[in-house]
Amino acid sequence: DTAVSQTPKYLVTQMGNDKSIKCEQNLGHDTMYWYKQDSKKFLKIMFSYNNKELIINETVPNRFSPKSPDKAHLNLHINSLELGDSAVYFCASSHNRERFSGYTFGSGTRLTVV
Amino acid sequence: AQRVTQPEKLLSVFKGAPVELKCNYSYSGSPELFWYVQYSRQRLQLLLRHISRESIKGFTADLNKGETSFHLKKPFAQEEDSAMYYCALGGNKLVFGAGTILRVKS
């Protein structure tokens, strides 16, 4: 019974394409996040949504557009993919009232742009 | 600003040896600190929270506000502990250190 699920797990695509990654959580959390883990394993937050509202938008190219149709889903759409977008993208969620519980992460989407 | 520093990229120890993974933080507010572990090609899993002062898989971490540190320790390393360990600081967002790869050799 997966708490935070991402699809697809692997994505190989050509430069210039547009792709989406989906994320769903069944924990009843009200905040969701996208993180990028680069080839050096650095983890950096990209976006955060609270109850479908964007609350954190780090310095991310506007080719990346998050969409939250409801508080259980946060999808990531990427336009005009570039080689440098190759990374593992992790979705996560947390509960506002349980700050000290930490975040729950999905299993990641390994994106390879060729 | 929130900042987390993990000075060691790689820590290699023999099985049965003590382990200490260092973490220092910078934050003007009241810190919330965590250790996450990532086994090879898997998701990040929460290992420890400073608030709970628990021991998980033999690991402990104590928040030292004077030294702004939250080092992760284990008295006797096991081969299955080999993984990437991230220290993380919570505030309005969870900020991660660069991670330390722990390799436990037999």
Side-chain angles (χ1 to χ4, degrees), chain A residues 2 4 9-10 35 37 40-43 45 56 58 90 99-107 110, chain B residues 9 30-32 34 36 38 41-44 46 49-51 84 86 92-98:
Chain A
T2 307
V4 180
K9 197 169 173 64
Y10 299 96
Y35 277 81
Q37 185 180 45
K40 294 184 179 177
K41 304 293 187 185
F42 287 122
L43 269 165
I45 191 167
I56 292 175
E58 295 290 297
F90 285 100
R99 289 165 54 209
F100 295 104
S101 295
Y103 295 7
T104 302
F105 283 82
S107 57
R110 185 172 293 274
Chain B
K9 187 70 183 166
S30 183
E32 305 157 21
F34 308 88
Y36 280 81
Q38 186 180 28
R41 295 203 166 208
Q42 292 187 26
R43 73 180 70 209
L44 280 91
L46 180 62
R49 303 170 290 163
H50 91 267
I51 197 73
M84 173 73 98
Y86 289 98
N92 65 333
K93 60 188 176 188
L94 198 61
V95 172
F96 287 86

Side-chain angles (χ1 to χ4, degrees), chain B residues 49-104:
Chain B
R49 303 170 290 163
H50 91 267
I51 197 73
S52 57
R53 299 181 64 83
E54 59 204 338
S55 173
I56 303 289
K57 300 183 180 182
F59 285 98
T60 58
D62 289 317
L63 175 60
N64 185 323
K65 289 187 178 180
E67 296 182 358
T68 60
S69 68
F70 188 57
H71 303 326
L72 183 68
K73 299 178 185 178
K74 184 168 181 175
F76 308 105
Q78 297 173 308
E79 288 180 73
E80 54 264 34
D81 296 330
S82 296
M84 173 73 98
Y85 290 81
Y86 289 98
C87 182
L89 171 65
N92 65 333
K93 60 188 176 188
L94 198 61
V95 172
F96 287 86
T100 298
I101 299 169
L102 174 64
R103 285 211 186 109
V104 182

Side-chain angles (χ1 to χ4, degrees), chain A residues 3-31:
Chain A
V4 180
S5 59
Q6 295 178 228
T7 54
K9 197 169 173 64
Y10 299 96
L11 185 53
V12 181
T13 188
Q14 290 187 326
M15 274 196 323
N17 284 350
D18 303 338
K19 290 292 177 186
S20 292
I21 307 172
K22 295 186 176 180
C23 179
E24 176 182 4
Q25 54 95 5
N26 62 5
L27 297 165
H29 287 169
D30 36 30
T31 307

Side-chain angles (χ1 to χ4, degrees), chain A residues 52-70:
Chain A
K52 303 193 298 176
E53 184 182 341
L54 180 67
I55 55 172
I56 292 175
N57 183 349
E58 295 290 297
T59 314
V60 177
N62 57 16
R63 298 182 294 104
F64 290 78
S65 52
K67 291 209 170 28
S68 181
D70 55 61

